[in-house]
Amino acid sequence: ELTWEEFVRLWVDEHTRVSVPLGMSPYRINIVTDTPDGRAPAYDGSAEMYWSSRAALDAALASDQGVLA
């Protein structure tokens, strides 16, 4: 199990490194830092990934980089 700091580093550094070459734009990482009621969040974050078309998404996921990601 990762600490929160390890998770953030892994997601920001490693996930971004293997994901960005897939050609999405924009690519956003949303990391949960707190909740309105102060309780532990139900999830650590989310990623928003957009491609210009379904065909571009399919090609990216079928590529060697897509398999790695």
Side-chain angles (χ1 to χ4, degrees):
E1 189 166 318
L2 299 174
T3 66
W4 187 80
E5 290 80 10
E6 290 169 332
F7 162 75
V8 169
R9 185 201 59 74
L10 182 69
W11 203 0
V12 170
D13 295 342
E14 297 301 318
H15 190 267
T16 300
R17 181 183 60 77
V18 298
S19 297
V20 168
L22 295 175
M24 65 200 87
S25 181
Y27 171 63
R28 296 184 185 116
I29 297 173
N30 308 292
I31 298 171
V32 176
T33 57
D34 60 8
T35 61
D37 61 9
R39 290 193 270 173
Y43 57 93
D44 295 315
S46 63
E48 299 175 59
M49 298 174 272
Y50 301 89
W51 280 265
S52 59
S53 67
R54 178 59 194 240
L57 167 62
D58 291 342
L61 296 179
S63 70
D64 290 341
Q65 189 70 24
V67 172
L68 174 64

